[in-house]
Amino acid sequence: MTSRDPGDWRSLRIAPSILSADFAALREDLARVDPEIDWVHLDVMDGHFVPNLTIGPAVVSALRPHSDRLFDCHLMVTDPRRYLEAFARAGADSCTVHVEAHEAAAALDDARALGVRAGLALNPDTPVESVLAHLGTLDLVLVMSVYPGFGGQAFIPEVLDKVRALRQEIDAQGLEVDLEIDGGIDVTWAPVAAGAGATVLVAGSAIFRAPDPRAAARELRARALVP
Ligand code: DX5
Ligand code: ZN
């Protein structure tokens, strides 16, 4: 297992999602944006929890030697306990399971036992109460701002109330939990999401579909930091 630095939990981090990168050149695409990013967000989909089917541990281990960034694996899978050890061995630094998935709480325990950061994600329709009980044991909570499965979707502003509620709860309890938001993040929504209290911004199409992905990542951070 590895333990790449996640960065200061209070600072803004940019996590490009490889889902929108060139799957025939992931190594090169990550190298292009590396100077302007903090984490790498790897979207894992099983074709059951979400309609799409993407990557597995083999891609994580293939990319591992070529990036010193924290690998933030987003497991959109029905049964995460089946896969956590494989992702940990492949080089994942953090694994986020969905609260809607099978045995989510036990999966979080598994992740910690494997020495990787434990994250919990909630879909747009899932009430924030579903994750509050877990907050004290999490390294990260991920608020989905699109219905999971595909990149390039429109941001769902209604989820911002959950971001604000989680920000308030994390601060009230004095927890050092990363608050990540994922889906439809672009230069318009980045400052709004950061303003609501998100500290990690995932962006796929806004970065990798841009003419200059490195400049796009830099611009996303700059816009997010404007109060
Ligand atoms: C969707 C994924 C997201 C997605 C983000 O299920 O979890 O990480 O790739 O892509 P954009 O930024 O294009 O919405
Ligand atoms: Zn994701």
Side-chain angles (χ1 to χ4, degrees), residues 13-221:
R13 268 79 32 97
I14 301 296
S17 159
I18 66 165
L19 189 63
S20 297
D22 177 353
F23 269 39
L26 288 176
R27 175 182 175 179
E28 293 81 359
D29 273 7
L30 284 186
R32 283 173 73 190
V33 298
D34 185 75
E36 299 296 343
I37 68 170
D38 299 286
W39 299 0
V40 174
H41 185 81
L42 297 112
D43 283 312
V44 177
M45 301 181 192
D46 65 359
H48 183 261
F49 184 75
V50 291
N52 202 356
L53 190 58
T54 59
I55 64 166
V59 173
V60 175
S61 52
L63 291 172
R64 184 69 281 172
H66 307 295
S67 171
D68 288 337
R69 298 296 175 183
L70 181 141
F71 278 7
D72 168 36
C73 292
H74 178 192
L75 304 184
M76 289 160 275
V77 302
T78 298
D79 188 357
R81 299 192 74 184
R82 283 179 60 190
Y83 306 103
L84 284 164
E85 182 167 358
F87 278 98
R89 291 189 184 286
D93 298 298
S94 182
C95 284
T96 297
V97 304
H98 268 258
V99 70
E100 304 91 356
H102 181 55
E103 295 186 323
L108 293 169
D109 293 338
D110 294 350
R112 280 186 285 270
L114 287 159
V116 299
R117 286 163 50 91
L120 192 57
L122 63 163
N123 283 332
D125 295 342
T126 302
V128 71
E129 290 72 18
S130 64
V131 301
L132 293 180
H134 301 282
L135 268 188
T137 63
L138 296 177
D139 297 293
L140 174 143
V141 60
L142 168 54
V143 176
M144 291 304 296
S145 35
V146 296
Y147 290 95
F150 300 91
Q153 300 179 77
F155 183 86
I156 302 172
E158 287 74 10
V159 309
L160 289 166
D161 286 341
K162 290 197 274 188
V163 175
R164 293 185 192 98
L166 284 163
R167 178 77 277 137
Q168 188 175 8
E169 194 58 33
I170 289 167
D171 293 350
Q173 294 186 37
L175 300 172
E176 296 187 5
V177 177
D178 288 319
L179 181 44
E180 187 175 39
I181 189 164
D182 182 10
I185 296 290
D186 57 14
V187 288
T188 301
W189 291 111
V192 178
T199 52
V200 184
L201 306 183
V202 175
S205 48
I207 291 176
F208 288 116
R209 299 278 184 249
D212 180 344
R214 182 183 298 187
R218 182 169 55 243
E219 178 68 9
L220 207 59
R221 187 193 306 273

